[in-house]
């Protein structure tokens, strides 16, 4: 799909295609629609990123809270969005052994308790074995820094999803 | 449900209950979660309203665009959110005659073409026969004024939904 195709979409089509590039935040795609026409993938994603950056702290935390738990129940019960299900499955998170699942589940619970949002990681860019290590590392970061890191992961996920949709190299 | 019960909810429970008080914008409830504890219904709704007021223009348009068409296909096909289905059905919009439906459908299409978002009306507060008249009137308003009016309707809908959930008189 090229950018002319994107610019020719009506609102319903745009939402069907881009409504979930920020996980479970269709409001953001509905806002980005105001910014048409887009010159290219970079321009389109710039508007998604700018919207997130312009949110108050509560809104940025809200974006993070709309994300599912990493390797959580929703993955195992097949209740994630199609995009998350694909990403977490491809990263091998559905095939963890019981001990690894338990370890991850303890860490994600600690993370949520500490920061008030779930641990978000662009799993396609990371080695699955690295996820628990990365989680343990980020768990010790100061909250303001961790918020920035987590929003950076949201943007990486958004970039990868947009590149997939537009058939471009990420 | 009283406000102590609301304040005792975990995030998942809060989203299950309040995730759709702003139609199809769970991000807003997920952001309002940052503002706990709430002192009463008025305090809770104040945070929903303040979040909407703090959004950039594109975000406010995005909130409106997340709303369904009034008396549109989604109503007739039963594909609205539970809240909208109930509200539009109770307002008698499912029982319009063919001529009235066609008239409303022409007006809502004109409205969307003019303003870039669907016609939003707190139908529980309005006489169903008045909807086409109100639509025709608002269709002639200047865009900046109409955006304010439409967001006011979003807030009325939010207030009614919150009052229902908390079992209070609206």
């Amino acid at each position: 799909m090229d950018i002319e195709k994107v610019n020719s979409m009506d609102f319903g089509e745009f939402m069907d295609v881009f409504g979930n590039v920020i996980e479970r935040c269709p409001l953001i795609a509905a806002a980005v629609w105001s910014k048409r026409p887009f010159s290219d993938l970079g321009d389109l994603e710039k508007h998604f990123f700018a919207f997130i950056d312009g949110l108050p702290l509560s809104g940025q935390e809200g974006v993070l809270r709309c994300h599912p738990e990493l390797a959580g129940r929703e993955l195992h019960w097949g209740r994630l969005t199609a995009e998350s299900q694909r990403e977490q499955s491809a990263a091998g998170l559905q095939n963890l052994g019981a001990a690894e699942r338990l370890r991850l589940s303890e860490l994600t619970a600690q993370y949520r308790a500490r920061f008030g949002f779930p641990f978000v990681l662009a799993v396609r860019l990371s080695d699955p074995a690295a996820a628990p290590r990365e989680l343990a590392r980020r768990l010790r970061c100061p909250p303001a820094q961790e918020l920035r890191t987590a929003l950076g992961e949201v943007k990486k996920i958004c970039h990868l999803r947009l590149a997939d949709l537009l058939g471009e190299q990420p």
Side-chain angles (χ1 to χ4, degrees), chain A:
Chain A
M1 182 188 331
D2 61 18
I3 203 72
E4 282 71 37
K5 172 68 192 156
V6 175
N7 289 326
S8 74
M9 290 175 172
D10 69 23
F11 177 68
E13 291 167 338
F14 185 82
M15 292 302 288
D16 285 345
V17 174
F18 297 107
N20 203 51
V21 299
I22 306 296
E23 180 75 10
R24 292 175 179 155
C25 294
L27 166 56
I28 302 184
V32 166
W33 171 252
S34 293
K35 307 298 184 180
R36 284 162 311 135
F38 309 103
S39 54
D40 55 24
L41 167 62
D43 183 47
L44 178 57
E45 87 174 10
K46 188 187 74 184
H47 292 295
F48 279 96
F49 295 177
F51 190 89
I52 293 171
D53 291 337
L55 286 171
L57 175 61
S58 67
Q60 294 180 338
E61 291 174 342
V63 168
L64 294 170
R65 286 187 199 117
C66 287
H67 283 69
E69 214 63 77
L70 195 80
R73 271 173 300 193
E74 291 179 306
L75 170 66
H76 297 287
W77 293 349
R79 292 210 193 131
L80 293 175
T81 61
E83 293 88 343
S84 281
Q85 195 77 33
R86 203 161 45 230
E87 291 159 359
Q88 293 204 27
S89 300
L93 293 170
Q94 222 164 6
N95 308 316
L96 298 176
E100 288 168 295
R101 274 174 65 176
L102 189 61
R103 171 78 180 135
L104 255 185
S105 148
E106 286 168 356
L107 286 169
T108 54
Q110 283 177 41
Y111 183 98
R112 185 186 280 273
R114 171 154 158 76
F115 297 112
F117 47 78
F119 176 68
V120 177
L121 180 70
V123 284
R124 284 169 62 184
L125 300 177
S126 106
D127 173 0
R133 205 166 51 230
E134 179 68 2
L135 218 173
R137 186 188 69 76
R138 284 171 51 187
L139 198 42
R140 293 190 301 269
C141 291
Q145 176 188 330
E146 182 50 27
L147 180 83
R148 282 195 303 276
T149 302
L151 292 173
E153 296 298 311
V154 170
K155 292 177 185 177
K156 286 181 202 167
I157 295 167
C158 174
H159 172 75
L160 292 167
R161 291 182 179 180
L162 285 174
D164 277 353
L165 290 166
L166 290 166
E168 297 194 12
Q169 290 293 326

